[in-house]
Amino acid sequence: MFKLALQIKDGAELYRAAASRIRSVQLVEEDESPDAFVANEPLGTGQPTLLVGAEPSAPNHFPAMPWRYSPHARAVRSSLDAGELGAPGLLRIHQWESKSKPLAHRSRLAAVELALWLIGEPPDAEHGAHNSSNKLLHLGFPRGAMAMMDFSSSLPAGEGYRSLSLIGSRGAAYADDQRDRNLLFRGDAPRATAPDSDFSALQPMIEDFVSAVDGGRSADVDTCAFTAAQELSGRLLA
């Protein structure tokens, strides 16, 4: 059994619920000799750590990249790997929030990392533009693909909106918060509610981390991907 300790301040119950669903994982406290940690900051324990919202600062720090593990992102990547979409052509990501909930830099970083992961190579052309409420990012890639990202914090108060679409040489994939809604009955008027894709990403992300540590996989690839996205978003979206 893999012993995992959580040192999470934000959303601790969600991470606990996600980790408790993994059969090979036993949740333990910090003083119970855990094999690894999930934490918001480096702990100085020397143990492998999945860092949520913090920069890796040691070789055994794995950066958390939850957007990779969302159901729609995994479906798109699976279709790409199976050759069903062909070569990536045009990737679009929209992430919009209300004025009362400005879009955090972490969300923009996650979107950039997801785009680089799906396209599969670093860009050789880049352009960013922004005003007080919108940030736009346009990337070109050596093999002809293009990525366009739109971040906004100008919606009325309420829920935000996220969409992902990818057009390839043989097919296309599309995920949209407006389309992917479930009709919810709570005794009053029925309401269309978007599934919680953020929570859905936690279990597979933690499972992959546990598998990496258990199998002796290095954090280098993930750290390089995180650093590339961080440098790009910092340069064009700051």
Side-chain angles (χ1 to χ4, degrees):
M1 189 70 73
F2 189 95
K3 293 183 178 181
L4 184 67
L6 305 181
Q7 296 290 315
I8 296 287
K9 300 173 184 175
D10 226 3
E13 289 308 311
L14 295 178
Y15 277 85
R16 181 168 294 276
S20 65
R21 297 181 181 184
I22 305 172
R23 290 187 178 183
S24 62
V25 167
Q26 177 186 357
L27 289 174
V28 299
E29 298 301 322
E30 185 178 358
D31 59 357
E32 295 181 294
S33 302
D35 298 305
F37 287 84
V38 180
N40 290 127
E41 58 188 22
L43 302 173
T45 63
Q47 296 291 90
T49 304
L50 179 64
L51 283 176
V52 180
E55 295 183 33
S57 57
N60 60 354
H61 288 170
F62 289 74
M65 296 180 284
W67 280 31
R68 281 190 183 191
Y69 299 92
S70 65
H72 55 266
R74 284 187 290 149
V76 173
R77 181 58 188 257
S78 177
S79 295
L80 279 171
D81 291 345
E84 297 168 349
L85 304 181
L90 173 61
L91 173 71
R92 294 179 66 97
I93 295 175
H94 297 285
Q95 176 76 9
W96 302 343
E97 296 291 351
S98 70
K99 296 176 183 178
S100 61
K101 186 184 175 183
L103 194 65
H105 174 69
R106 188 188 304 178
S107 293
R108 298 196 296 270
L109 172 61
V112 172
E113 196 286 319
L114 176 61
L116 298 181
W117 181 62
L118 290 175
I119 297 297
E121 63 180 341
D124 60 356
E126 55 189 45
H127 176 71
H130 63 88
N131 57 29
S132 59
S133 60
N134 287 78
K135 293 180 183 289
L136 303 174
L137 182 59
H138 188 180
L139 303 176
F141 297 85
R143 289 180 288 184
M146 180 167 59
M148 301 179 70
M149 283 160 272
D150 173 22
F151 307 99
S152 174
S153 56
S154 59
L155 294 181
E159 293 183 356
Y161 168 80
R162 184 188 300 176
S163 72
L164 164 69
S165 62
L166 176 65
I167 300 174
S169 59
R170 296 180 57 190
Y174 180 66
D176 183 292
D177 277 351
Q178 184 173 352
R179 180 184 179 91
D180 299 335
R181 284 181 174 264
N182 301 312
L183 194 59
L184 191 64
F185 294 89
R186 287 178 170 166
D188 50 6
R191 182 169 180 265
T193 303
D196 189 352
S197 60
D198 288 339
F199 174 72
S200 301
L202 297 185
Q203 181 179 338
M205 180 177 71
I206 296 171
E207 280 182 313
D208 189 53
F209 167 65
V210 169
S211 175
V213 175
D214 223 14
R217 193 180 83 209
S218 169
D220 290 351
V221 173
D222 288 349
T223 299
C224 287
F226 177 86
T227 302
Q230 186 178 52
E231 290 176 351
L232 186 59
S233 60
R235 186 165 62 248
L236 297 177
L237 297 174

